[in-house]
Amino acid sequence: MHELVVVGNDFEAATEIASNLGGVCYLGDPDETRTLPFRTMVRAATDDPQKLAAAAGVGTYLVFSRVIRERPVAAQVGTPSPGVTAVFPLLHHPDLSHQESDAHWRDVHAELALRHHPGMWDYTQLSVVRTLDGPNIDGFALVAFDSLTSMRERFFGDDNDRDVIYADVASFADPKSPRRVVATETIYGRRPPTAHVTWPQG
């Protein structure tokens, strides 16, 4: 499914827009002192990208969402979802095209992630179809855990898990990909997002 994704740093705008459009909002820790590529992300389905402009201080992207694993716990609409989500921006490997990197991410890395991230209970790949504004990004990995402790302690099960994942990521992603953003997700409609209005009307 195609959707629009905007990333920025305005917490209030991100929350308001996601709520108005029935989208999904990801908010980083407002007290985080490290330099991050962005602190907010909004996912929405709309035919008017301008409706997301106030939350798009860093970039706007047309993406295709691939749900690899869904958490076993339901999320209540309009309240923070259980757990935490690590948002990993992805740049393709310098020796690969976007299409080659994305195919590897989809066909090879997804299966490895399911096997070697034992604490991961939710995983979606947002493959960027087109950068509409901002820095070029090839994708966003949304990797979720049931708690911050689980993300820290069960991201990998052992050294082999770490070695396998690191080696695979190095084969298809640019090591200069931006830092991950640890965020809280809130769903205001559905996930993946769907348009509020269906046609024909009347």
Side-chain angles (χ1 to χ4, degrees):
M1 169 181 287
H2 287 91
E3 58 190 80
L4 287 170
V5 165
V6 296
V7 292
N9 295 295
D10 189 326
F11 287 75
E12 184 177 344
T15 301
E16 181 178 358
I17 289 167
S19 176
N20 290 343
L21 295 177
V24 185
C25 185
Y26 300 84
L27 302 179
D29 181 354
D31 297 323
E32 175 61 73
T33 58
R34 294 177 302 169
T35 300
L36 297 174
F38 51 83
R39 294 174 184 270
T40 67
M41 168 186 279
V42 176
R43 302 168 58 190
T46 176
D47 56 3
D48 184 1
Q50 192 59 33
K51 289 182 178 179
L52 292 98
V58 174
T60 304
Y61 306 89
L62 176 66
V63 309
F64 185 86
S65 62
R66 299 190 288 251
V67 179
I68 311 300
R69 171 178 284 168
E70 287 194 270
R71 61 178 165 249
V73 177
Q76 186 125 12
V77 172
T79 63
S81 301
V84 294
T85 301
V87 182
F88 290 87
L90 170 69
L91 302 179
H92 69 272
H93 192 285
D95 294 337
L96 302 176
S97 67
H98 165 81
Q99 290 77 12
E100 290 168 332
S101 173
D102 189 64
H104 185 103
W105 187 32
R106 179 192 64 218
D107 300 331
V108 177
H109 187 75
E111 289 295 328
L112 292 176
L114 292 174
R115 293 204 300 271
H116 295 285
H117 290 311
M120 181 181 73
W121 74 341
D122 199 85
Y123 178 32
T124 295
Q125 295 178 346
L126 300 179
S127 173
V128 173
V129 176
R130 182 173 298 168
T131 297
L132 301 180
D133 185 55
N136 286 320
I137 298 287
D138 291 271
F140 299 92
L142 307 180
V143 184
F145 297 79
D146 62 8
S147 67
L148 189 58
T149 298
S150 181
M151 186 181 75
R152 288 172 174 161
E153 297 180 356
R154 301 188 65 232
F155 198 90
F156 301 113
D158 54 28
D159 289 344
N160 179 64
D161 288 336
R162 181 181 291 103
D163 292 346
V164 169
I165 292 297
Y166 279 6
D168 188 60
V169 170
S171 75
F172 75 92
D174 191 327
K176 296 179 181 178
S177 293
R179 182 193 295 271
R180 75 178 181 182
V181 177
V182 178
T184 300
E185 174 196 81
T186 302
I187 302 170
Y188 290 96
R190 290 183 168 186
R191 190 192 70 166
T194 55
H196 267 178
V197 180
T198 56
W199 292 267
Q201 298 183 53

